Every structure is written in structure tokens, then in C-alpha cells.
Amino acid sequence: MKRILVTGGTGYIGSHTIIELYKNGYEIDVIDNLFNSKITVLDKIEEISGKRPSFYEIDLLDYEKMDKLFSDNHYDLVMHFAGLKAVGESVEKPLKYYENNVGGTVNLLKCMKDHDVHKIIFSSSATVYGEQEKAKLDESMITGIGITNPYGETKHVIEEILKDVSESDKEFEAVILRYFNPVGNHPSGLMGEDPNGIPNNLMPIIMKVARGEIKELSVFGDDYNTPDGTCLRDYIHVVDLAKGHVAAINKMKPGVLIYNLGTGKGVSVLEMIKAFEEASGKKLPYKIAERRAGDLPEMYADPTKAERELGWKTELTVEDAMRDTICYLNNL
């Protein structure tokens, strides 16, 4: 297996994964509609890796362009990162999220079937677990119950679609990777998370507060049943996450495999703020705000299966993520 099509390859996780794929000798084509990323990421990929992927500005909803791409090129595997991911926006515009995330994936799978491409690695999310009685989440748990936003629902629907396709096509091979909370940036400082518009996740907001683009950080609730009252999440360095995708390639076989990608440890919002302050030597202004609807007190991965079957586990820490984030900020 040599040639991989990466959807959403100019995005945060896709671009970091391309670096790791190049290290392992793969050839890469990228498609992206640049809705929430920048074309200049290709320059950064080239600067870091010495290689530049072929790029096609295509929206997954444009079936004709997708079909032509697959007609003109042969791919051994698709890595599917493309999708809208702002939780709050998904609540306000659910139809947009279902059309883009689910509809785009259906188009992609149709093109794959029509052109005899049988392997896909899908970028899923821990949100598919919904509300569980336990904070430590493992792949054997029932998913899809109590998901609190349409973004998470689209990830769950796509997982179910992949399972259905697998039932209908015995050649089909899928790996579903459920991410927890990606943080950090490439250690070179050249490439990192840089979303368009107002970010929704903690680290990009911390970055914008540090740069003075946002006045202060809002901590949503400090009265949860956790050690410091703020929510606990499993923060995984994006480079570790990227390496998980490379590890998954070698495990593929007919059917659907599912793995958590996380550290197995929870870190609170206040601990994240403190870690950034210690790494930067600067105070980060924040305020305590009302709890946010749908936020669970704590959730973190049980990564045992990924370590056992993929030979993968995280190697980098929150402190590493903060160091690399500051390096990236200094280069902006």
C-alpha cells in the first residue's frame, strides 16, 4: 500500500498526520474545500517533510469532481478527516452538519465503491459515547445514547454507515479512530491549530487569549464533582494522534475495527490553564462562567485496545503540548 487520499488534509489533524505518513514512505494526495483551513499549510508540510502533496480544492458534496478525481487516480487507502466540527454551530445549524458530514461521507464511499477502493480510516470522536455511567470510556460500550449535539450525532451516523457498508461488501476494510481532545502543535513551531473564525475548543481559545485576540477565557462551571470543580478531559498531543493513524494502516483487515486514541488520563480546565502559564511564564486571564449545557464532568479514554492491537500509545504530555504551542505562537 503506497498511495493515500487524505480528505481535509490541510486541517489541523490531517496535516500533522501527513507528516507522519511521509516519514513512513507513503504518497499523499489531499482534497479540501478550505472552509476551515488555509492553503499555506501545504508550504509548512513541505518545509517540515521535504515533500508536497498533490492538492485538489474539492468539496465532498461535489460528486462530479470527486468521481473525476477517483477516475484519474488510483488510491490504496482513504484517510477521512474532512468535516465540520464546531459543536455550538452544529446545535444552531443541524441540517448544515448532517448535509456536510454525512452527505459528504456518503459521496466519498460511493466513489470508493465505484472505483474499487476498499480501505478507509475514519476520523471519529469520543462524543459518540454520549452519556455513560463511567468516565473511563472503552470501545465495548454502547454508543449513540445521550449524544448532546448534532456534530456528535453525525460522527455516530457515519460509524453506523461504515458498519452497514462492511456488511454489504466483504472486501471493505474500515478503521474507526475515536479521538479524545487533540492539543499541541508540530514541535518545529511551523504548523499548528489555526482555525478560521471563533474557535470552540479549549486550546485554540487559550492561544487567542494569549495573543490578545480574545479578552479572557471562560471556564464553564467550577462546581463539578471533580478535584478542582472544573471539567476533566483527555488531552492527547496531535503528534501522538497522527502516529495512531499510521499504526492503524498495518492492522487493517476486512470488516470494521474501532480504537480509542487518548492518554487514559483526565486533566482539568484549570490544570490546562496552569500548564500554559507555567510554560509561557505569563498569566492567562479567565473568568468562571455558568455551566455549559451538555458538558459532562469528566471523560477520558481507556486506550488499552489500541496499545494491545496497534502497538500504539501516547508518548507526549500536556507539558509537551504547551511547549510546542508556545513555539508555534512565537512563529505566528
Side-chain angles (χ1 to χ4, degrees), residues 244-259:
H245 293 74
V246 179
I249 295 173
N250 299 322
K251 188 65 180 176
M252 299 190 80
K253 62 182 182 180
V256 178
L257 297 169
I258 301 172
Y259 299 100

Side-chain angles (χ1 to χ4, degrees), residues 19 21 23 72 76 115 134 138 161 193 247 260 298 300:
I19 299 296
L21 290 170
K23 287 181 183 178
D72 293 345
D76 300 299
H115 297 280
K134 294 196 301 180
D138 70 73
I161 290 171
E193 189 166 16
N260 286 337
E298 57 180 320
Y300 52 95

